[in-house]
Amino acid sequence: MALELVVLIKVVPDGKEVFVDPVNFTLNRSMATNVLNPADENALEAALRIKDEHDARITVMTMAPPFAEPFLLECMSRGADQAVLISDRAVAGSDTYPTSLTVAAAIKHLGKVDIVFAGEKTSDSSTGHVGPGVAEFLEAELASYSRSCRYEDGFVTAERVLEEGVEVVKIPTPAVVTVITDSNIPRRATLRKKLNAQKKGIIVWSLQDIGLPSDWVGLRSSPTVVKKMLPFPAIERKGKVIGLDMMDDFVKELVDTGIIRQGGN
Amino acid sequence: MTEMKKAEPPQDISQYKGVMVYLDSFNNSLTRAALEMVGAGRKMADKTNEKLYCAVIGGSTKAMAQEAGVHGCDEVYGFDSKDLAMYRSKPFSDILAGLVNEKKPNILIVPGSKNGRDLAARVAVKVRSGLTADCMDLDVEPDTRILLARRPDYGDSTMSEIRCEKHRPQMATSRPGTFATPEPDPKRKFQVEVREIKLEANQLKENIVSFNQKNEEDITGSKVIVSGGLGMGKPEGLELIRKLADLLGGSVGVSRPIADLGWISREHQVGQTGETVRPNLYIAAGISGQPQHIVGMMGSKVVVSINKDPEAEMNKNADYVIIGDLYEVIPKLIESIEKVTGANPSPA
Ligand SMILES: Cc1cc2nc3c(=O)[nH]c(=O)nc-3n(C[C@H](O)[C@H](O)[C@H](O)COP(=O)(O)OP(=O)(O)OC[C@H]3O[C@@H](n4cnc5c(N)ncnc54)[C@H](O)[C@@H]3O)c2cc1C
Ligand SMILES: Cc1cc2nc3c(=O)[nH]c(=O)nc-3n(C[C@H](O)[C@H](O)[C@H](O)COP(=O)(O)OP(=O)(O)OC[C@H]3O[C@@H](n4cnc5c(N)ncnc54)[C@H](O)[C@@H]3O)c2cc1C
């Protein structure tokens, strides 16, 4: 039986993304477009690499309005076999609890699943809650913050990149793997796959299709609520201007205030 | 496992009391982020006149529990097992959720390290409550005991205040480096309870094959950070930045575009989507000072801005401002440091 892989994606705004002009190293802040969340590109690639070596089927999935469809097709053009769009007005305003719940219910509705891939976090609200939340609802093992992963005989071996170092974990399937940004180089779409994707189309599910009551999700069933916007906390700093001819005095001041030490060890 | 259903709020939220902090640890010692959260938790517990609970899970937790106590905790719960020496998502989240159900804290805060975020996200689902990520500020409204969790907004110069009004505990994570570590008080009174834990086979399916401690510089613990931005104009600028950093016994930081360009690895990026740092001395050279950068270094003790533009936003966030071309300023600064301090100064 083929391995069943699921890749979770989110479409995020690219509007204020910093784009560095490679010629004169200036910033270009224009272009308000949507993109596939960067880590999800790496999550898809991680799944495709498993498919390169094993008999596997990849389903890409997102909970989003229909504007996400071209991005699902793009994932199919890179090698995913099918795409599911969970689209329902009732999910609007969901925080990470109902988002994880809805995605987990849709995965369960797919049937047998071996590995679910998600991004470590999104580039917009970047909570990183959804992967672990889905693992919890699915009672799956979890390897978060992974830079690479392999599959062998019912087990996933993943390299987790942590603050203190790199940890290699081995977990049985079903497993959720969250993939870190820039951890691999995503492959490009091929024309043939693109045409196939367009022919195949996208599977669209409503909440009813996946068996979730509509009052379990959305803004009203989200524990967290964004209450207000506040300005960034202002820091009071004295901003003393140091002339180039005052450098010695400046360094002495740093030494006198204990910020840097005289001599050295 | 958590049954797939809605996050139903508890009937009676008044029974949820106190603040609980999960203590992150590595190799049987608390992380700095854990102590920072103890400080943040202590402030909130004082404000509502309630207890500060702490939870620590590991191979041997007694000494860590004591350390949390002297740093401000009232009741510390340690969970010991030889199988828990390293973080494992399933048993750790089971244990923490169990303690939450037992103690019913009003607020639960977790260090936003990688493992901490992994843990918090699972526990939020298990206890069916709300979790706010990456809070820059944590406060509590004394009368309502509502957690005011403030986090930066995407791309804007604003913060959102997120509340979890009906569900308990009100959960939040903050990135390491967000808060100052509290001073220990060896005379503080507190209780420690260490429990031996027996785990079941289905909690121990995760097998840690190896751990490679890295020796690359982790800038979050540095006392001095010298950061370069696009004002460097070319990758070689980093050599000058490093020279100054080395002289001061510090580390190299960068603004995001420099990491985007691949001139240095992501670990060196300071800011909203990079590291949060609070060194004694932060020198920003050729960095304009956008809010997404400022949020990552605003806890620094002394900030120096080197910028050729007198109007740069960075200057307004600095204690000392040196106007000029960094390629001229930094060599002068290096010269003065060598002259004033002798050849090898080091951070205090
Ligand atoms: C300013 C702001 C702040 C917010 N802060 C919080 C907060 O602190 N806590 C909270 O609970 N909610 C918060 N939210 C709501 C949150 O944006 C949504 O719940 C969102 O659906 C998922 O969160 P995320 O983007 O952080 O996903 P993450 O958890 O960062 O996403 C990780 C991965 O999960 C997968 N994934 C994420 N979303 C989907 C999806 N819709 N479909 C399929 N796969 C997906 C992708 O693989 C993604 O890479 C906030 C929203 C805003 C606008
Ligand atoms: C969602 C999101 C997240 C982000 N996260 C981060 C983050 O984590 N960290 C981060 O840093 N940014 C982040 N950014 C980007 C941020 O908004 C800014 O674009 C970025 O910080 C600017 O980098 P910079 O200051 O190096 O470059 P610029 O803004 O181009 O500033 C260059 C500065 O150098 C000065 N200069 C030029 N030449 C010289 C010279 N020879 N000598 C001295 N000074 C000179 C100029 O006067 C200018 O002030 C994020 C943006 C978004 C939208």
Side-chain angles (χ1 to χ4, degrees):
Chain A
M1 204 166 34
L3 275 179
E4 292 289 341
L5 312 180
V6 173
V7 180
L8 301 177
I9 66 160
K10 186 181 177 190
V11 176
V12 295
D14 188 27
K16 290 164 189 152
E17 262 307 327
V18 221
F19 162 73
V20 185
D21 185 322
V23 178
N24 53 12
F25 304 128
T26 52
L27 295 181
N28 182 339
R29 296 171 212 259
S30 60
M31 294 188 296
T33 48
N34 285 323
V35 291
L36 191 56
N37 175 48
D40 301 352
E41 301 235 16
N42 303 110
L44 173 61
E45 179 60 29
L48 287 166
R49 287 182 185 184
I50 289 189
K51 194 185 160 186
D52 290 341
E53 293 185 0
H54 300 272
D55 174 24
R57 187 169 72 140
I58 299 177
T59 305
V60 274
M61 180 182 279
T62 189
M63 175 188 103
F67 73 72
E69 284 189 10
F71 296 89
L72 291 169
L73 288 175
E74 167 67 21
C75 294
M76 289 168 79
S77 313
R78 291 189 203 174
D81 301 278
Q82 60 174 3
V84 173
L85 175 70
I86 313 153
S87 206
D88 198 307
R89 275 171 202 282
V91 301
S94 290
D95 76 357
T96 57
Y97 184 102
T99 301
S100 306
L101 176 65
T102 307
V103 169
I107 293 170
K108 210 166 167 196
H109 188 66
L110 265 182
K112 176 192 104 116
V113 168
D114 298 288
I115 313 173
V116 177
F117 293 89
E120 55 164 331
K121 62 178 181 203
T122 59
S123 61
D124 56 353
S125 42
S126 60
T127 63
H129 297 168
V130 174
V134 167
E136 185 57 39
F137 280 122
L138 292 177
E139 204 182 358
E141 290 298 314
L142 171 64
S144 55
Y145 303 99
S146 298
R147 73 172 177 202
S148 73
C149 84
R150 282 183 295 120
Y151 171 83
E152 206 182 336
D153 300 331
F155 287 88
V156 173
T157 303
E159 279 185 309
R160 303 184 62 218
V161 181
L162 305 174
E163 287 81 358
E164 295 88 359
V166 178
E167 177 182 84
V168 178
V169 297
K170 190 172 176 185
I171 51 179
T173 57
V176 173
V177 176
T178 81
V179 178
I180 57 179
T181 318
D182 296 340
S183 57
N184 54 37
I185 297 169
R187 68 193 63 185
R188 289 168 188 254
T190 69
L191 185 61
R192 190 177 49 85
K193 290 200 176 95
K194 198 169 180 164
L195 294 173
N196 276 341
Q198 264 150 4
K199 221 183 311 159
K200 207 161 184 181
I202 284 162
I203 304 164
V204 181
W205 285 342
S206 65
L207 286 173
Q208 198 178 0
D209 292 328
I210 60 173
L212 275 191
S214 55
D215 67 343
W216 283 15
V217 297
L219 191 63
R220 283 178 47 221
S221 289
S222 291
T224 65
V225 185
V226 180
K227 273 296 178 191
K228 54 180 171 193
M229 304 289 233
L230 301 162
F232 248 60
I235 336 161
E236 294 276 320
R237 302 232 183 230
K238 41 187 201 257
K240 183 171 167 184
V241 177
I242 309 290
L244 286 183
D245 52 342
M246 293 156 62
M247 214 61 99
D248 289 357
D249 293 336
F250 166 55
V251 173
K252 278 185 197 128
E253 192 170 326
L254 290 182
V255 172
D256 290 346
T257 50
I259 296 300
I260 57 179
R261 212 187 288 169
Q262 187 85 44
N265 307 336
Chain B
M1 114 121 172
T2 300
E3 194 194 334
M4 286 194 204
K5 52 177 215 208
K6 146 181 200 188
E8 200 73 69
Q11 298 282 342
D12 176 16
I13 59 171
S14 69
Q15 55 174 314
Y16 286 80
K17 293 194 179 77
V19 178
M20 185 179 282
V21 177
Y22 168 74
L23 303 170
D24 218 2
S25 64
F26 184 71
N27 275 348
N28 279 327
S29 52
L30 296 180
T31 61
R32 204 158 23 90
L35 292 177
E36 290 170 14
M37 293 309 257
V38 170
R42 183 71 258 166
K43 280 201 187 113
M44 292 195 285
D46 286 344
K47 221 165 167 178
T48 54
N49 250 317
E50 291 180 318
K51 274 190 187 151
L52 181 64
Y53 305 104
C54 285
V56 53
I57 306 171
S60 167
T61 59
K62 183 104 189 262
M64 294 191 281
Q66 298 284 349
E67 196 184 354
V70 297
H71 280 87
C73 194
D74 298 314
E75 288 179 22
V76 196
Y77 295 87
F79 296 87
D80 278 14
S81 159
K82 65 169 179 22
D83 296 319
L84 299 173
M86 304 275 274
Y87 177 79
R88 291 157 117 180
S89 188
K90 213 174 224 173
F92 274 59
S93 57
D94 285 344
I95 292 168
L96 184 59
L99 188 67
V100 166
N101 290 330
E102 181 186 323
K103 295 289 156 196
K104 298 200 167 13
N106 180 45
I107 291 171
L108 170 62
I109 56 178
V110 177
S113 59
K114 304 274 169 61
N115 283 337
R117 300 173 73 124
D118 175 298
L119 176 73
R122 284 190 88 137
V123 171
V125 168
K126 281 183 194 288
V127 304
R128 300 186 199 280
S129 192
L131 171 62
T132 303
D134 275 348
C135 298
M136 295 167 62
D137 188 24
L138 294 170
D139 199 1
V140 63
E141 242 174 32
D143 46 338
T144 60
R145 299 188 307 132
I146 295 281
L147 172 70
L148 308 175
R150 296 173 185 139
R151 59 174 311 215
D153 275 335
Y154 167 69
D156 289 325
S157 337
T158 52
M159 296 196 299
S160 293
E161 183 174 287
I162 298 185
R163 297 180 181 218
C164 169
E165 291 183 329
K166 302 196 186 95
H167 299 72
R168 292 296 179 273
Q170 308 166 73
M171 292 179 63
T173 58
S174 291
R175 290 211 273 165
T178 304
F179 305 107
T181 44
E183 289 300 319
D185 171 4
K187 286 188 293 235
R188 257 191 66 82
K189 288 213 174 66
F190 56 89
Q191 287 170 21
V192 170
E193 182 184 319
V194 175
R195 304 178 185 174
E196 263 313 312
I197 290 289
K198 285 233 157 34
L199 294 159
E200 286 163 30
N202 74 357
Q203 293 177 297
L204 294 172
K205 290 183 187 166
E206 177 183 343
N207 178 15
I208 298 168
V209 181
S210 67
F211 197 100
N212 260 324
Q213 227 161 317
K214 70 172 164 196
N215 39 28
E216 275 169 72
E217 53 185 329
D218 168 22
I219 68 167
T220 59
S222 297
K223 295 222 165 113
V224 173
I225 296 176
V226 184
S227 288
L230 275 180
M232 293 185 295
K234 50 183 189 236
E236 293 74 35
L238 277 173
E239 289 165 21
L240 190 57
I241 299 288
R242 183 169 298 281
K243 195 169 166 201
L244 177 57
D246 285 348
L247 182 63
L248 294 167
S251 314
V252 173
V254 292
S255 63
R256 168 155 147 185
I258 304 305
D260 286 348
L261 285 163
W263 293 0
I264 198 165
S265 69
R266 276 287 161 210
E267 281 107 338
H268 295 267
Q269 180 188 322
V270 173
Q272 186 178 329
T273 43
E275 303 295 340
T276 302
V277 298
R278 42 187 322 119
N280 286 337
L281 178 61
Y282 188 86
I283 302 178
I287 294 179
S288 60
Q290 300 307 304
Q292 296 86 6
H293 188 81
I294 300 296
V295 49
M297 46 61 69
M298 54 194 272
S300 308
K301 204 155 162 191
V302 170
V303 177
V304 179
S305 171
I306 301 172
N307 201 302
K308 66 176 187 192
D309 175 9
E311 301 303 317
E313 212 41 54
M314 191 70 231
N315 304 347
K316 294 170 194 147
N317 293 287
D319 301 284
Y320 299 99
V321 177
I322 309 174
I323 310 293
D325 181 344
L326 66 93
Y327 287 98
E328 217 176 296
V329 174
I330 294 180
K332 276 223 163 71
L333 184 55
I334 288 174
E335 207 179 289
S336 290
I337 293 169
E338 285 172 342
K339 192 163 104 198
V340 173
T341 67
N344 287 313
S346 60

